[in-house]
Amino acid sequence: MDAMDWELLRELQANARLSFNELSRRVHLSPPAVAERVRRLEDSGVIAGYHAHVDPARAGWPVRAFIRMTCYGARCVLRDPEVAQWPEIRQVHRVTGDVCSILEVAAVSMTGFEALIDRLAAYGPPSSTMILSTPLAGHPITAPPR
């Protein structure tokens, strides 16, 4: 990836809905050159998709938390594909340390959150941390330092 690819990524991370014409104006390349570079970034997997940023609280999921899971052997949230389909589960991270995974979750109420904790307890002891606010959400990926 060169400096122009990073410029394109910076612009697309700020606003993925930019047209190729607007993107070309911002990075000073022709629209066909921009389209080709973006296609190459998509084909190589650098651009993994385009998403709408949805506010969970305004969408009806105001209770947010991180849940650390310590699983037992074969019965683990990481090995059960059904867990990833639960509507409360936003992200699952496999981690190092004293837990096997950290889940980012959202619930419609504290009662719903409590029910989620009860369901997760079948996999091992859950330990939760409530998210009060997110002062920095979705920091853009930049070029690594040389």
Side-chain angles (χ1 to χ4, degrees), residues 55-127:
D55 182 316
R58 291 181 187 215
W61 299 85
V63 178
R64 297 175 40 227
F66 294 109
I67 300 176
R68 294 168 303 285
M69 292 296 301
T70 304
C71 297
Y72 301 121
R75 182 105 170 116
C76 179
V77 294
L78 296 172
R79 291 184 182 91
D80 186 344
E82 292 295 316
V83 173
Q85 303 306 312
W86 296 358
E88 301 90 349
I89 306 296
R90 306 266 302 127
Q91 293 186 340
V92 177
H93 302 278
R94 184 176 182 187
V95 298
T96 62
D98 59 344
V99 299
C100 70
S101 59
I102 297 176
L103 288 61
E104 180 181 342
V105 303
V108 298
S109 65
M110 286 306 289
T111 302
F113 179 73
E114 186 176 359
L116 175 62
I117 291 291
D118 290 344
R119 280 191 289 160
L120 287 169
Y123 297 90
S127 175

Side-chain angles (χ1 to χ4, degrees), residues 32-45:
V34 165
E36 174 57 29
R37 281 180 174 262
V38 170
R39 185 199 55 76
R40 188 172 39 82
L41 290 167
E42 292 169 345
D43 290 347
S44 67

